[in-house]
Amino acid sequence: VIRAAKAQALLSGRDYVGGIAGITQANGEYHADISDSVARGTVLGRHYVGGVAGASESGFAASYISRSQSSATVSASGNYAGGVAGRLASGGYAAAALISDSGASGSVSGSNYVGGVAGTVAGQYASVLGSAFTGAASSSANAADGQVWLGGVVGYLAAGNLSNSYYNVGSVTLNGETVFTRGALYAEQFTRWQAAGRTLSIADELQQDDSGRYRITSLQDWRRLLAWADSSERFVLETDIDLAGDAGYALSYFTASLD
């Protein structure tokens, strides 16, 4: 268990390098926990490099990173780089691997599997909740050689859960560009989410019709839909919307319904 740790240093290693811990891994019945900690400086490595932890993995017991922040520059010469953790994974047991109420504001770079909060999330019980990214992320992978996994919150969500975790698409850059990946919010909504303790109420953002569908009647409504793109909510588009001024807008992941 690591609580209220503060680190500011240049840390360099091979694999599993983190600003607070190289890897947090549940051992037997004992859980692994990093909470209320802050990392600054520079973290360098090859694979599994993170601002707080290189990797966080559950086993028989849970593994947690909570209420922790990193402003560190994170750089991996290989794969799996994240502003908080390079890899978040749960094993074959019903024990959580969790990043919650955490965030990163530094630059994150790697070859592939690069994310503002986590490079990759894997396993049924792995979750990123209530976390934010406000820095910049980049991948040196070549799309001609295969899929490039780069995201504002998570680079590659192999399995698990990403919920209530966002980045400001107006200020965060991915490979130097404005890119909509899962968790993107426009500035005005991201700012409200942060100010309200990282919560948003859809009832405060959009109006419903008589069928209970949330009405999309303007460009602002269309932008606000992003926060619930991965929900089971129902939306209805009631008018044509000109997206000419919103270059690059994309719903990279959509589980809601739109009529």
Side-chain angles (χ1 to χ4, degrees):
V1 175
I2 299 174
R3 292 179 181 163
K6 294 183 179 180
Q8 182 166 353
L10 169 60
L11 299 169
S12 179
R14 186 173 173 86
D15 298 336
Y16 298 101
V17 186
I20 301 293
I23 182 170
T24 62
Q25 193 170 48
N27 184 10
E29 64 183 21
Y30 299 102
H31 71 272
D33 185 0
I34 295 177
S35 61
D36 302 299
S37 296
V38 178
R40 302 182 179 92
T42 302
V43 185
L44 307 173
R46 185 181 64 165
H47 302 311
Y48 308 108
V49 185
V52 175
S56 182
E57 301 175 355
S58 65
F60 284 110
S63 181
Y64 304 109
I65 297 175
S66 59
R67 301 181 304 279
S68 296
Q69 304 294 322
S70 170
S71 61
T73 296
V74 176
S75 180
S77 61
N79 298 330
Y80 307 107
V84 176
R87 181 174 188 258
L88 178 70
S90 64
Y93 305 95
L98 181 65
I99 295 174
S100 65
D101 303 315
S102 297
S105 58
S107 65
V108 183
S109 63
S111 178
N112 210 350
Y113 304 97
V114 179
V117 174
T120 189
V121 174
Q124 180 180 355
Y125 302 103
S127 298
V128 176
L129 307 174
S131 297
F133 181 55
T134 56
S138 62
S139 164
S140 61
N142 190 337
D145 298 328
Q147 181 70 48
V148 176
W149 297 106
L150 173 66
V153 179
V154 173
Y156 178 52
L157 184 65
N161 181 37
L162 172 60
S163 178
N164 191 40
S165 297
Y166 302 109
Y167 68 100
N168 180 351
V169 74
S171 61
V172 169
T173 60
L174 303 179
N175 278 349
E177 299 180 354
T178 297
V179 180
F180 289 78
T181 63
R182 190 169 174 181
L185 290 184
Y186 281 90
E188 55 97 13
Q189 197 173 33
F190 182 84
T191 300
R192 282 201 310 281
W193 173 70
Q194 289 272 53
R198 295 186 178 176
T199 61
L200 282 174
S201 168
I202 191 170
D204 293 336
E205 303 277 316
L206 298 168
Q207 295 181 342
Q208 287 180 291
D209 67 7
D210 293 339
S211 299
R213 300 173 300 179
Y214 288 97
R215 303 169 60 217
I216 307 299
T217 63
S218 66
L219 178 59
Q220 183 181 59
D221 290 345
W222 182 249
R223 289 174 171 179
R224 290 179 175 178
L225 179 150
L226 280 170
W228 293 278
D230 58 357
S231 73
S232 59
E233 300 290 356
R234 296 184 301 145
F235 300 90
V236 56
L237 183 63
E238 294 189 347
T239 187
D240 293 336
I241 296 174
D242 184 1
L243 295 177
D246 277 23
Y249 182 103
L251 291 171
S252 60
Y253 183 84
F254 192 73
T255 60
S257 67
L258 177 64
D259 298 329

